[in-house]
């Protein structure tokens, strides 16, 4: 307009009560994200929920290292192409050392342009892509919860351990394709199983959630527009039902791309 302000969306505020605004039904330009369809997650081997350890909630995923993992079928949500920003993160609790612990494996064969994130026999986390180890971190501790995040941002991939980058930055122009499967806790062929516990897994597409040192989350991950998989591993002890939390944290954004940082809603229909 004449004041140099671009109107992205508009609506009439009908009333205000405390922190709550009511916009009548004649708003234009707003786009409210909808919940996504949860993915089917299958427990394999002896993989199950356990109340023995948990980072958040009531339980975590328990794996014994032999044929245990959870799988998600091939999905375009896991196709990351050559330039897509992404974040893959989890809380891990390995209980034995000097062995391989698979965290994420998007491959269907040993050598493939796909992500394989694993702990090696020196208890270091490394990223293996297309037949090569591309990043190796410092050793992680046993029998404690550790936050691990793999992030690609503007063509550079990094690993963060408990909020601090560990290992080198890797110039990552890999074409990760248009669709991939996922296994959590084992290699693509069920070998190199994770021994211990995994909690709160979140896969985010088109979002580099961490680009510098950060404080690891102190509550379970929320879902949002960029979340394509969210596993809280909450449920009864020994349950093999793994639920992908498809609920999207509802923010308020416009069709022109503007977004609020938070929206608070209240239902006054009963008053």
């Amino acid at each position: 307009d004449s004041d140099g302000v671009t109107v992205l969306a508009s609506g009439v505020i009908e009333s205000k009560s405390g922190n709550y605004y009511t916009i009548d039904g004649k708003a234009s330009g707003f786009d409210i994200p909808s919940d996504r369809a949860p993915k089917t997650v299958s427990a394999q081997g002896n993989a199950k929920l356990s109340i023995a350890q948990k980072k958040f909630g009531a339980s975590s995923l328990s794996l014994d290292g032999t044929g245990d993992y959870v799988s998600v079928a091939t999905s375009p949500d896991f196709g990351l192409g050559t330039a897509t920003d992404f974040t893959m993160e989890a809380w891990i609790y390995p209980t034995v050392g000097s062995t391989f612990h698979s965290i994420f494996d998007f491959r269907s064969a040993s050598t493939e342009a796909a992500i394989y994130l694993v702990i090696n026999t020196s208890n270091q986390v490394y990223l293996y892509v297309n037949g090569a180890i591309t990043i190796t971190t410092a050793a992680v501790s046993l029998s404690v919860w550790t936050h691990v995040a793999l992030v690609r941002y503007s063509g550079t991939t990094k690993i963060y351990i408990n909020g601090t980058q560990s290992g080198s930055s890797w110039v990552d122009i890999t074409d990760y394709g248009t669709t991939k499967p996922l296994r959590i806790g084992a290699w693509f062929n069920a070998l190199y199983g994770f021994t211990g516990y995994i909690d709160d897994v979140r896969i985010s597409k088109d979002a580099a959630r961490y680009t510098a040192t950060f404080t690891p989350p102190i509550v379970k991950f929320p879902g949002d527009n960029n979340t394509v998989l969210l596993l809280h591993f909450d449920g009864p002890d020994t349950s093999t039902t793994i639920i992908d939390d498809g609920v999207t944290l509802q923010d308020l954004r416009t069709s022109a791309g503007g977004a609020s940082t938070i929206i608070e809603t209240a239902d006054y229909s009963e008053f």
Side-chain angles (χ1 to χ4, degrees), residues 87-94 103-104 117-119 125-126 137 140 145-151 158-163 194 199-202 210 214 216-217 221:
T87 305
M88 303 174 182
E89 55 190 316
W91 287 92
I92 63 171
Y93 191 105
I103 304 173
F104 299 133
L117 191 67
V118 62
I119 299 174
V125 178
Y126 75 70
T137 74
V140 297
W145 285 106
T146 298
H147 182 259
V148 176
L150 175 69
V151 182
K158 302 177 182 180
I159 297 175
Y160 294 88
I161 304 295
N162 288 329
F194 191 99
D199 207 358
D200 236 38
V201 166
R202 182 170 64 174
Y210 315 113
F214 63 94
F221 299 131

Side-chain angles (χ1 to χ4, degrees), residues 70-218:
V70 297
S71 61
V72 184
T74 297
S75 169
D77 284 339
F78 302 146
L80 302 171
T82 58
T84 303
D85 291 345
F86 61 76
T87 305
M88 303 174 182
E89 55 190 316
W91 287 92
I92 63 171
Y93 191 105
T95 54
V96 298
S98 303
T99 188
F100 285 97
H101 296 274
S102 299
I103 304 173
F104 299 133
D105 195 354
F106 291 84
R107 301 172 301 163
S108 299
S110 179
T111 300
E112 183 181 340
I115 288 167
Y116 176 42
L117 191 67
V118 62
I119 299 174
N120 66 15
T121 56
S122 298
N123 302 334
Q124 303 163 299
V125 178
Y126 75 70
L127 175 62
Y128 182 85
V129 177
N130 212 15
I133 298 171
T134 59
I135 304 174
T136 303
T137 74
V140 297
S141 300
L142 301 178
S143 299
V144 297
W145 285 106
T146 298
H147 182 259
V148 176
L150 175 69
V151 182
R152 180 164 73 175
Y153 175 60
S154 294
T156 298
T157 296
K158 302 177 182 180
I159 297 175
Y160 294 88
I161 304 295
N162 288 329
T164 300
Q165 184 183 351
S166 187
S168 60
S169 299
W170 175 45
V171 177
D172 185 1
I173 58 172
T174 307
D175 183 355
Y176 291 112
T178 58
T179 184
K180 294 288 181 185
L182 171 61
R183 288 190 176 184
I184 300 170
W187 216 23
F188 72 95
N189 61 359
L191 297 177
Y192 300 116
F194 191 99
T195 305
Y197 305 89
I198 297 176
D199 207 358
D200 236 38
V201 166
R202 182 170 64 174
I203 308 295
S204 306
K205 188 174 183 178
D206 295 314
R209 298 193 184 273
Y210 315 113
T211 58
T213 301
F214 63 94
T215 300
I218 59 174

Side-chain angles (χ1 to χ4, degrees), residues 9-16 20-28 30 32 252 263:
S10 63
V12 177
I13 297 177
E14 184 177 90
S15 61
K16 177 182 182 296
Y20 300 104
Y21 291 85
T22 299
I23 297 176
D24 72 11
K26 299 178 182 178
S28 64
F30 288 108
I32 299 177
L252 183 65
I263 179 172

Side-chain angles (χ1 to χ4, degrees), residues 45-61:
N46 296 318
K48 60 185 180 293
L49 302 183
S50 172
I51 62 173
Q53 291 292 340
K54 63 271 190 184
K55 180 61 183 178
F56 303 118
S59 56
S60 65
L61 176 66

